[in-house]
Each structure stands twice: as C-alpha cells, then as structure tokens.
Amino acid sequence: YKKTVRLAPGRPVMTLEHSLRNTGRKTIESSVYEHNFYMLDHQPAGPDYSVQFPFEVHAKADLHGAAAAQGKQFTYLKELPEGESVYSEMTGFGDSPRDYDIRVENRKAQIGVRQTSDRPMAKLVFWSIRSTVCPEAYVDLKIEPGQEATWKIDYEFYELPR
C-alpha cells in the first residue's frame, strides 16, 4: 500500500493518491474510505453548516430532529449539544465518479471544502458530533493477484461569496 499527499502549487488543493498492489494468491475485495473530520474554523456542527451533493440525498436512519436530508443537501436543524451525535447511511448516488462530489460549507466562517474522487461511491455514511462534520464516501476495490488498484481523492478549499 502506498499513500501520497500532494499539495497543488499556488492552489488550495490537497490530493490523496492511493495504490494497493495484491502480492498474494487470492483476489482482494474490499471497501475503503477516508475518515474525514471537517472542523471548519472550529465552528460546532449546527445550522451554519450545509453538506451538498450532486444527487438527491436520503437518510436511511431517523435523524431525531437534529438534521435533515432535503433535496441535494444535508443540513442541521439545531446545533448539536455535547454528547449528541447524528449517524445515518445515505442513499441516492449512482455508479459514476461524478456523484462523488461532496461540499461541506459553513456560512458563519464563510468557507468550504469540496471533496471529489476518480472512483464512484459504493457507500455513503454521515456521522457527526458537536465538534465535527463527517461525510464518509466508500469506494470498492477488487484486485486480482499481481494487479494494482489506484484511487485518488481531491480536497479543494474555498471561500464562500460574501
């Protein structure tokens, strides 16, 4: 396994490049994800955050009035107090890498991050506590003996228009 972190010269972009070579005799079939902990300007998880997708997103679990998946956005209905969490598997994405396009924005801080990949999502989970917002997109790998799989994830950081 090899993981390379690249920073784009002169641009607010970080790329994580991954490669996994199967040196064994059996096929490797697995799902992998980046454990993203977004804490934009130390703002607590709450109504100032929005998480946007290029598809209609649906929560599989009851969000207990703390958050909502509506249209192409996941939003908080209240600020999460200490000790409270939000968790759900999410649905609505297709089998194209175009759907792996997640934007986490905070209106109060006026900043955001866009997360994209060259692989399609196989699963999408959303987890959050007061201190962090965590959309976690999984990608599937199937690597035959002697073969190598590669995938990359880009994080583009930006300011929101005032």
Side-chain angles (χ1 to χ4, degrees):
Y1 174 72
K2 181 179 175 183
K3 181 177 187 176
T4 303
V5 178
R6 294 195 192 283
L7 300 177
R11 295 178 41 225
V13 176
M14 176 180 70
T15 300
L16 302 181
E17 297 172 346
H18 306 268
S19 63
L20 179 62
R21 178 170 292 284
N22 184 348
T23 60
R25 290 186 288 231
K26 294 182 180 179
T27 301
I28 296 173
E29 289 190 68
S30 185
S31 293
V32 296
Y33 71 100
E34 299 299 326
H35 202 41
N36 301 300
F37 284 84
Y38 292 117
M39 295 173 265
L40 302 182
D41 205 22
H42 304 286
Q43 296 299 307
D48 288 326
Y49 275 97
S50 70
V51 183
Q52 301 155 26
F53 304 91
F55 53 86
E56 301 277 328
V57 67
H58 306 281
K60 286 178 108 175
D62 183 353
L63 301 173
H64 305 290
Q70 300 170 325
K72 295 181 179 184
Q73 285 194 38
F74 181 93
T75 57
Y76 292 87
L77 303 176
K78 66 177 189 172
E79 192 171 294
L80 290 184
E82 284 294 331
E84 190 171 319
S85 65
V86 171
Y87 176 85
S88 182
E89 187 170 336
M90 311 298 276
T91 63
F93 56 89
D95 59 1
S96 167
R98 287 187 310 273
D99 278 352
Y100 193 134
D101 189 343
I102 303 166
R103 292 176 186 258
V104 178
E105 297 180 346
N106 185 282
R107 284 183 301 280
K108 183 176 180 183
Q110 293 291 298
I111 56 177
V113 59
R114 180 182 183 200
Q115 175 183 333
T116 58
S117 179
D118 61 348
R119 292 276 192 134
M121 279 192 276
K123 179 179 174 180
L124 176 62
V125 170
F126 194 91
W127 175 79
S128 180
I129 57 174
R130 179 179 174 82
S131 61
T132 189
V133 175
C134 306
E136 296 170 337
Y138 290 67
V139 297
D140 282 344
L141 300 176
K142 183 175 181 180
I143 314 165
E144 300 295 335
Q147 299 300 306
E148 180 177 51
T150 62
W151 67 101
K152 73 175 189 158
I153 301 171
D154 290 315
Y155 299 88
E156 178 184 357
F157 301 89
Y158 55 93
E159 292 183 32
L160 299 178
R162 299 221 177 241

